[in-house]
Amino acid sequence: MERIIINALRSRGTINRNIYGHFAEHLGRCIYGGLYVGEDSEIPNVNGMRADVVQALKRLRIPVLRWPGGCFADTYHWRDGIGPREGRASIVNTNWGGVTEDNSFGTHEFMELCRQLGCEAYISGNVGSGTVQELSDWIEYCNMGGISPMAALRRLHGQDTPWHVRYWGIGNEAWGCGGNMDAAYYANICRQYATYMRDYDGEHRIVKIACGANSDDYHWTKTVAERAGHAVDAISLHYYTVPTGEWSHKGAATQFDSAEYFETLSRTLKMEELVENHSRVLRAVGKGRTLGLVVDEWGTWYDVEEGTHPGFLYQQNAMRDALVAAINLNIFNNHCDSVIMANIAQTVNVLQAMVLTEGDRMLLTPTYHVFEMYKGHQGAQQLECYAQTGLIGGQQVPQLHASASRDAQGSLLLTVANLSERDSCPVTCMIEGAEVRAVRARVLSGDAHAHNTFDAPRAVEPRALDAQLAGGVLTAVLPPCSVCAFTLSDHAGA
Ligand code: AHR
C-alpha cells in the first residue's frame, strides 16, 4: 500500500493560472486548419475560428495563449498580417516545411481567437530578424488607447479600443533558431528591446519575458539575469521530452517498448531538477527581486507520424503522454513559488496537442483530458503533498507522482499519476489540517499505447473511480498507467 500525505497547513503559495497556458505557432496545421479555417470554410466557424475546436478548448479554461512562435516568431513581421486579407503579403515559412504563409491569420485574428477562448494573449516578438522599432510599434498598435500613429493604424483596420496585451516575449530561442546568439550578446540586445517596450497607461503594465535557456544551460540563465534582469520581469525555459534523447531518432508516439516508456518518464521527471536549478540561479542573481520562470515550451516530441510532412510535427498522443502531462503539471504546481507560467507545445495538431483534426473531424487527446482534470488547480492554493512510494522500471521513476491544492471554496484537489505500466496501486491518503467529508474521483487510464483515433475518438476518456473516505483518510486503487483526480470537500454529498 503506497501512501500520500497532504499537509493542508503548508503551502508554497498560489498556483498561477498561467501554468495551464498553451502555445500555438504558425507550424503545420496548428493555426491553419486546426484553429483557423477562415470565414468561407465549410467547416463551421465563428469569424474564421473552428467552432468545434474552440468549444472543446473553452472547457479547459485556457488562461493564456502564446503566439506566433516558436521559431516562426523570429521571422514574423507583424505588419504583413494586418489590413485587408487580399492585400497581405504571402511569405515562405522557412522554419516549418517551406510552405506559403498567406498571413490571413494575423494580430486581429489572434486577438479574436483569444476573445473566443476567453484567455490572455502572450505575443513573442521578433528579435532574430526584426528591429527594436518594429516590436515597439507592435506594442503601441495593440495597447495604445489614445492618439498615436499605431493606434490610428489599428483603428483604420477596424479595432477602436486597445487589446491591452500583457505578456510580451523578447525573441524566442535566441541561442538557436532565434539568431544563434551567445548569452552576453542576447542580454545586451534584450535590454535594448526592453527599453522601448512601453506601457501605454498606468493601469495596464506589460510583462516582459526574456528569452531563456535550453534545458540545463544555467550559464544562459545566469548571464541574461545578471545583465538584463533589471529590465525584464521574467525569463523563459524550454525543455522537451524526447524519449530516446536523440533528435535524429526521437522515438514513435504509439510504438515503444517498456524500456522506452520508462525512459520517457525519467526524462520528463528532469523538469523538476531544471525548475529548481534555474530558480536557484534566478534567486541568487536577483538579490531580492527574483525573475519569474516561464516554461513557455514543454511536452513530448516524437518522430512525425508516417506519411505526414516532416516539417509539420504532427504526432499521435497516447496514455504515455497523459502521464507526461500529469508529471509536468504536478511539478509546476509544486514549484508555484517560482513558475509563473507554462505553455504546452502545442495546442492543436502539433507535438503534444490537446486536439487533433482531420478535415472537419476532431478528437480530444489523453493530454486534453489531463488538462481538463487538473483545471481546478488554476489559481488555487498549493498544498504540501508527499508521496511515500517505491521506484519502478529500473529507473529513478517513482510509482506515484502527485500534487494538491485548495480552491477559494475550500475544496481540495489531489491529482495523482500511477506511473506503473502494469501494476495497479492501492493508495491511502492522509490529510493533515483539513476536514474532509466527501470525495469525488475520476480516472483516465489505459494501456500506455492507448490513444484516440478519428474512428474511435472516445477510446480514452475519464470515468468515475471508486474512492472511500473514512475518518478523514482517503483510500482508492489506482489502475496501472493512470491519472486520477480526487476532489475532497468538507460538505457531504459534494
Ligand atoms: O515547438 C516547436 C519548436 O520547438 C519551436 O518553434 C521552437 O521554439 C522549439 O525549438
Side-chain angles (χ1 to χ4, degrees):
M1 175 83 78
E2 308 284 298
R3 288 209 317 167
I4 293 176
I5 298 146
I6 299 176
N7 182 354
L9 301 173
R10 291 193 59 166
S11 167
R12 285 194 180 199
T14 300
I15 297 173
N16 197 314
R17 290 190 65 208
N18 290 340
I19 283 176
Y20 290 79
H22 290 253
F23 169 37
E25 180 168 10
H26 287 235
L27 195 179
R29 296 185 300 113
C30 183
I31 297 287
Y32 298 109
L35 287 158
Y36 177 77
V37 286
E39 290 89 339
D40 300 334
S41 172
E42 282 174 7
I43 297 175
N45 67 84
V46 178
N47 299 330
M49 312 300 152
R50 272 187 84 130
D52 53 352
V53 173
V54 168
Q55 200 188 0
L57 293 175
K58 276 176 79 164
R59 287 199 292 274
L60 300 183
R61 296 205 294 256
I62 291 180
V64 61
L65 184 63
R66 177 174 184 251
W67 171 86
C71 294
F72 181 78
D74 283 291
T75 59
Y76 184 64
H77 300 285
W78 66 271
R79 281 186 177 81
D80 290 346
I82 58 169
R85 300 242 173 81
E86 55 284 5
R88 296 189 191 177
S90 279
I91 59 162
V92 182
N93 189 333
T94 47
N95 283 291
W96 305 117
V99 295
T100 300
E101 159 66 59
D102 70 2
N103 277 302
S104 53
F105 189 94
T107 304
H108 290 249
E109 288 76 15
F110 173 59
M111 295 313 301
E112 169 61 11
L113 174 61
C114 290
R115 187 193 67 77
Q116 290 189 25
L117 292 174
C119 71
E120 288 215 59
Y122 169 11
I123 294 184
S124 283
N126 179 348
V127 168
S129 70
T131 64
V132 175
Q133 186 67 52
E134 186 180 3
L135 181 52
S136 174
D137 284 350
W138 201 2
I139 299 173
E140 183 184 318
Y141 187 86
C142 291
N143 290 358
M144 176 65 183
I147 294 172
S148 82
M150 291 303 117
L153 187 61
R154 185 190 67 235
R155 291 194 180 104
L156 181 71
H157 296 319
Q159 178 67 27
D160 182 22
T161 52
W163 290 295
H164 299 305
V165 174
R166 190 188 322 207
Y167 301 104
W168 291 89
I170 307 175
N172 169 76
E173 298 194 350
W175 36 263
C177 64
N180 281 303
M181 303 173 195
D182 69 22
Y185 181 80
Y186 170 74
N188 282 345
I189 289 205
C190 174
R191 273 207 316 249
Q192 186 188 0
Y193 271 78
T195 306
Y196 300 96
M197 296 169 73
R198 310 284 193 197
D199 293 325
Y200 284 95
D201 62 49
E203 216 184 305
H204 302 93
R205 260 206 81 230
I206 64 168
V207 175
K208 301 173 193 175
I209 303 167
C211 163
N214 181 24
S215 185
D216 56 4
D217 185 352
Y218 302 116
H219 167 74
W220 182 281
T221 299
K222 184 167 183 288
T223 308
V224 174
E226 273 172 357
R227 294 175 180 228
H230 61 282
V232 299
D233 304 285
I235 186 165
S236 67
L237 165 67
H238 289 183
Y239 177 63
Y240 284 96
T241 300
V242 177
T244 61
E246 303 275 340
W247 286 95
S248 56
H249 164 65
K250 298 179 271 299
T254 54
Q255 282 163 356
F256 48 89
D257 59 16
S258 218
E260 201 165 297
Y261 168 84
F262 282 110
E263 191 63 38
T264 307
L265 302 184
S266 166
R267 288 181 185 278
T268 302
L269 288 158
K270 185 180 161 78
M271 183 65 92
E272 178 144 44
E273 166 194 322
L274 295 176
V275 163
E276 286 179 356
N277 289 348
H278 283 288
S279 305
R280 207 167 286 134
V281 171
L282 293 176
R283 275 196 298 276
V285 172
K287 299 188 195 89
R289 182 187 174 266
T290 304
L291 299 182
L293 192 61
V294 170
V295 188
D296 56 17
E297 290 189 27
W298 66 270
T300 51
W301 194 326
Y302 306 125
D303 296 327
V304 299
E305 293 300 321
E306 228 178 281
T308 66
H309 193 306
F312 282 12
L313 311 188
Y314 177 78
Q315 63 189 41
Q316 248 297 354
N317 192 296
M319 264 313 296
R320 178 178 59 163
D321 295 80
L323 301 182
V324 169
I327 293 171
N328 278 306
L329 293 173
N330 285 336
I331 292 171
F332 300 148
N333 288 344
N334 289 332
H335 293 81
C336 64
D337 48 352
S338 48
V339 180
I340 61 164
M341 189 194 292
N343 309 74
I344 188 169
Q346 300 191 6
T347 319
V348 185
N349 289 333
V350 170
L351 300 178
Q352 192 174 350
M354 309 301 111
V355 172
L356 302 179
T357 67
E358 194 177 77
D360 63 355
R361 300 200 290 175
M362 174 196 87
L363 64 80
L364 306 179
T365 65
T367 299
Y368 172 96
H369 293 302
V370 173
F371 269 78
E372 193 277 317
M373 291 165 75
Y374 273 56
K375 69 184 175 194
H377 285 308
Q378 292 185 23
Q381 181 193 27
Q382 180 264 357
L383 300 179
E384 191 175 80
C385 175
Y386 175 70
Q388 265 177 5
T389 179
L391 297 177
I392 53 172
Q395 303 259 359
Q396 294 297 88
V397 172
Q399 175 153 14
L400 297 182
H401 198 273
S403 67
S405 69
R406 175 171 35 209
D407 70 13
Q409 287 69 46
S411 286
L412 269 53
L413 175 60
L414 166 68
T415 48
V416 194
N418 176 6
L419 304 181
S420 171
E421 213 183 349
R422 305 221 158 76
D423 298 331
S424 57
C425 183
V427 176
T428 307
C429 175
M430 332 283 189
I431 301 139
E432 312 275 349
E435 291 263 320
V436 289
R437 293 198 180 81
V439 60
R440 195 162 43 85
R442 291 165 79 209
V443 61
L444 184 73
S445 67
D447 180 84
H449 309 84
H451 56 277
N452 293 330
T453 64
F454 292 99
D455 294 329
R458 299 183 61 181
V460 184
E461 62 179 13
R463 57 187 166 77
L465 175 72
D466 258 356
Q468 285 76 43
L469 199 55
V473 177
L474 168 71
T475 51
V477 178
L478 315 188
C481 189
S482 66
V483 180
C484 308
F486 300 90
T487 307
L488 298 141
S489 60
D490 64 358
H491 27 278

